[in-house]
Amino acid sequence: MINLDRNLTQASKNMGAVRVKVKLTNAIDEDLVKRGLLNPNLLRVYEAEALIDTGAVRTAIPVEVCEHLDVRIRSHEIAKYADGRQ
């Protein structure tokens, strides 16, 4: 006999936020470095720990990161969490 209550308790203990270290780079800078037109030391990079949402269909990054990487902002939206935070 299988104790379903025990299995559900164990599964809920393993659930939670998944975070990974990510490294974002300016794609134009990367291309220029590959072609020898930009010093690799000038490649704009941003490293951080990111929250992973396996059900997401888009990626959102803070405006400050866009500015640091000098990438074009396509749209502005307020991130909304399941618990109501923004």
Side-chain angles (χ1 to χ4, degrees):
M1 185 159 118
I2 299 172
N3 183 343
L4 295 177
D5 290 333
R6 194 179 105 201
N7 290 341
L8 290 175
T9 302
Q10 184 62 37
S12 65
K13 285 181 184 178
N14 294 330
M15 294 176 68
V18 177
R19 296 183 180 272
V20 297
K21 188 171 183 177
V22 297
K23 181 178 181 179
L24 306 173
T25 60
N26 180 302
I28 294 172
D29 287 0
E30 279 187 330
D31 187 54
L32 292 172
V33 168
K34 286 178 186 175
R35 294 174 20 194
L37 301 173
L38 181 68
N39 183 327
N41 295 328
L42 299 177
L43 175 66
R44 289 171 280 196
V45 175
Y46 188 89
E47 293 187 49
E49 188 175 275
L51 176 64
I52 303 303
D53 179 353
T54 58
V57 294
R58 285 193 258 172
T59 300
I61 59 175
V63 172
E64 298 80 24
V65 176
C66 290
E67 291 170 350
H68 176 82
L69 294 171
D70 193 26
V71 295
R72 184 174 60 109
I73 297 173
R74 298 177 99 183
S75 68
H76 289 271
E77 295 185 31
I78 296 174
K80 296 174 188 163
Y81 295 89
D83 65 4
R85 289 180 295 144
Q86 295 186 354

